[in-house]
């Protein structure tokens, strides 16, 4: 009689472990939701105003307008800025579709700009080329949506002078970066406004859809508050402008109030994990670079590997129970819905190259060191000992 010895398969890991966070929070969220069920003010209940105050205190913005999701947060600002036909709005191509989608909602033209190969964020030289291209096409340059990709703020000290020189407003798409810092400035205090998302997988996420706009401009905030409730005036049956239904549910605000309490500690943990990953992987892959004086929230930890081996690495890690993700396999200027729109004039080679190279590893604050080490060993083994740096 023969016996077959089989090695047990390693248990699969989570890419983002929301259950671990829930365990850490104990009954806090259950109790917060129960309180909303008790008072019954499901729309614009007291937790919404409390959350807005606490978010403002957290990041230092004068005004916070919570809303339905990160896409609507962007759209509310474009609505307030009265973006319309003939306007050009500049945004990176290497981003999530929502950044450009909202530009189309208002019949404006998105002009796609390239990104920097190290930070994945908007390249100011490409922005200049995009502005020239828009003018050639007879469009009116209106504003810029810079994206803080994967949790790192864009290089605002380089982008702001370009905006000023051309009279453009700057909207920060901080869907992935709320909680991050750009030199002395916290995300939420840069540009004319900042939009974020509280989608569950974001660094600060609720249990459904949610978002917020941050601004230091009280007049803009007043318009945003009106737009979020169908353009209300003195009350919601007084309509002074065209708006939308863009409110944040009270239950989601209650969840976020509890999660905000542990958010600073979670940001510390994310940074510690990123540092360990960097130290352990820098010799086999291109690890992410954070600008000096800046702090990322590590919505994603993204390495670069050689394009020819990326899918093999993904498969080998999957077989080891290690999930990965590719953000983004196609830059927006190559997507069917967006490819008719202009690009900054050089074909956006960095965005196209990154789409072939990037690979995001599991990242969340509840990854213990043993699990990090398991991920690192598997990644090193899959890459094959330092031959594929993706440079
Ligand atoms: C860069 C960026 N902008 C906007 C959004 C839209 O946020 P939401 O999904 O909350 O609408 C996302 C969401 O993933 C995003 O990553």
């Amino acid at each position: 009689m023969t016996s077959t010895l089989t090695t047990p398969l390693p248990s699969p890991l989570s890419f983002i472990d929301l259950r671990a966070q829930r365990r850490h929070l104990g009954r806090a969220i259950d109790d917060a939701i129960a309180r909303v069920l008790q008072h019954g003010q499901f729309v614009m209940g007291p937790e919404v105003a409390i959350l807005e105050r606490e978010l403002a205190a957290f990041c230092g913005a004068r005004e916070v307008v919570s809303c339905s999701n990160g896409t609507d947060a962007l759209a509310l600002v474009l609505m307030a800025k009265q973006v319309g036909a003939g306007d050009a709005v500049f945004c990176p191509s290497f981003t999530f579709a929502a950044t450009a989608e909202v530009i189309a909602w208002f019949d404006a033209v998105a002009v796609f700009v390239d990104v920097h190969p190290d930070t994945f964020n908007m390249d100011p030289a490409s922005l200049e080329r995009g502005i020239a291209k828009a003018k050639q096409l007879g469009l009116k340059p209106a504003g810029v949506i810079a994206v803080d990709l994967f949790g790192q703020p864009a290089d605002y000290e380089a982008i702001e002078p370009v905006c000023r020189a051309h009279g453009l407003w700057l909207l920060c798409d901080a869907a992935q970066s709320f909680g991050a810092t750009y030199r002395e400035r916290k995300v939420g205090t840069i540009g004319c406004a900042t939009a974020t998302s509280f989608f569950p997988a974001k660094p600060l996420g609720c249990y459904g859809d949610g978002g917020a706009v941050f601004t230091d401009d009280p007049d803009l905030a007043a318009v945003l508050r009106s737009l979020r409730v169908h353009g209300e005036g003195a009350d919601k049956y007084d309509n002074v402008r065209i708006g939308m239904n863009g409110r944040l549910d009270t239950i989601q605000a209650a969840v976020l109030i509890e999660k905000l309490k542990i958010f600073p500690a979670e940001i510390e943990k994310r940074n510690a994990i990123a540092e360990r990953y960097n130290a352990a992987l820098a010799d086999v892959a291109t690890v992410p670079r954070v600008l000096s004086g800046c702090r990322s929230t590590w919505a994603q930890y993204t390495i670069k590997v050689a394009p020819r081996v990326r899918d093999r690495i993904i498969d080998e890690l999957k077989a080891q129970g290690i999930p990965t993700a590719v953000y983004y396999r196609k830059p927006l200027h190559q997507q069917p819905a967006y490819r008719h729109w202009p690009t900054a004039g050089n074909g956006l080679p960095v965005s196209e190259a990154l789409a072939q190279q990037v690979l995001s590893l599991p990242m969340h604050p509840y990854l213990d060191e043993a699990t990090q080490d398991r991920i690192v060993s598997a990644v090193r083994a899959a890459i094959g000992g330092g031959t594929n740096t993706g440079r």
Side-chain angles (χ1 to χ4, degrees):
M1 199 170 128
T2 53
S3 70
T4 322
L5 281 177
T6 49
T7 325
L9 280 175
S11 57
L13 301 177
S14 305
F15 191 65
I16 293 173
D17 194 348
L18 291 177
R19 282 175 196 207
Q21 185 193 47
R22 177 108 193 271
R23 280 196 296 279
H24 178 72
L25 281 160
R27 287 207 45 84
I29 289 189
D30 305 60
D31 292 346
I33 292 175
R35 284 193 293 276
V36 178
L37 296 179
Q38 191 61 36
H39 69 54
Q41 294 176 61
F42 301 115
V43 176
M44 297 309 272
E47 285 81 358
V48 173
I50 294 170
L51 174 71
E52 289 179 348
R53 275 200 302 278
E54 293 187 356
L55 289 170
F58 176 86
C59 72
R62 274 178 73 181
E63 306 275 351
V64 179
V65 182
S66 63
C67 65
S68 33
N69 55 63
T71 310
D72 287 348
L74 293 166
L76 283 164
V77 178
L78 297 196
M79 249 183 207
K81 291 284 174 194
Q82 300 185 328
V83 167
D87 285 342
V89 177
F90 305 89
C91 71
S93 177
F94 195 62
T95 180
F96 182 64
T99 312
E101 188 175 35
V102 292
I103 300 168
W105 286 0
F106 300 101
D107 294 329
V109 173
V111 178
F112 289 117
V113 170
D114 215 351
V115 293
H116 194 279
D118 292 343
T119 61
F120 314 124
N121 281 333
M122 184 179 269
D123 173 358
S126 181
L127 173 59
E128 288 276 15
R129 284 196 289 273
I131 295 167
K133 180 68 168 281
K135 287 181 180 163
Q136 269 169 25
L137 294 170
L139 296 166
K140 179 177 159 287
V144 172
I145 306 181
V147 178
D148 302 344
L149 206 71
F150 304 149
Q152 164 160 224
D155 191 0
Y156 290 109
E157 283 171 9
I159 293 169
E160 285 166 329
V162 181
C163 293
R164 271 196 299 274
H166 295 275
L168 308 176
W169 45 257
L170 171 62
L171 166 59
C172 309
D173 181 347
Q176 303 181 11
S177 69
F178 186 64
T181 316
Y182 180 81
R183 315 246 147 93
E184 316 70 48
R185 295 188 276 172
K186 290 214 168 146
V187 163
T189 62
I190 306 169
C192 76
T194 296
T196 199
S197 164
F198 301 127
F199 184 80
K202 294 292 189 261
L204 179 63
C206 54
Y207 286 161
D209 278 309
V213 183
F214 303 80
T215 180
D216 284 343
D217 177 348
D219 296 333
L220 176 61
V223 174
L224 293 168
R225 287 199 179 93
S226 161
L227 289 170
R228 139 180 105 171
V229 191
H230 304 290
E232 70 177 2
D235 65 55
K236 72 176 174 182
Y237 298 109
D238 176 31
N239 308 110
V240 296
R241 51 177 68 78
I242 304 293
M244 64 196 279
N245 176 0
R247 296 168 298 224
L248 177 72
D249 289 348
T250 312
I251 285 181
Q252 299 306 340
V255 169
L256 287 164
I257 289 168
E258 296 310 314
K259 290 208 190 185
L260 189 58
K261 291 178 188 160
I262 59 165
F263 192 42
E266 289 190 338
I267 295 171
E268 293 297 323
K269 287 187 191 146
R270 286 173 180 276
N271 274 279
I273 295 165
E275 268 176 39
R276 281 190 95 241
Y277 273 164
N278 280 350
L281 294 171
D283 61 331
V284 294
T286 304
V287 297
R289 184 166 85 86
V290 176
L291 294 175
S292 69
C294 297
R295 195 148 212 240
S296 176
T297 45
W298 301 103
Q300 302 297 337
Y301 180 87
T302 304
I303 58 173
K304 287 191 277 177
V305 297
R308 69 183 186 285
V309 294
R310 185 174 65 181
D311 284 341
R312 179 184 59 71
I313 294 170
I314 292 170
D315 290 344
E316 287 185 26
L317 291 173
K318 193 172 172 200
Q320 298 291 318
I322 295 171
T324 55
V326 174
Y327 303 115
Y328 300 92
R329 276 190 189 271
K330 221 186 239 186
L332 292 182
H333 72 281
Q334 295 182 324
Q335 290 281 4
Y338 299 100
R339 64 184 166 217
H340 59 286
W341 275 350
T343 60
N346 61 345
L348 313 188
V350 179
S351 300
E352 289 176 20
L354 287 176
Q356 309 292 315
Q357 298 171 320
V358 288
L359 180 64
S360 300
L361 305 181
M363 167 54 86
H364 60 81
Y366 303 92
L367 268 178
D368 58 34
E369 291 199 352
T371 311
Q372 293 163 36
D373 293 344
R374 175 179 155 196
I375 294 165
V376 162
S377 312
V379 171
R380 291 185 67 87
I383 290 177
T387 50
N388 298 295
T389 63
R391 275 182 260 260

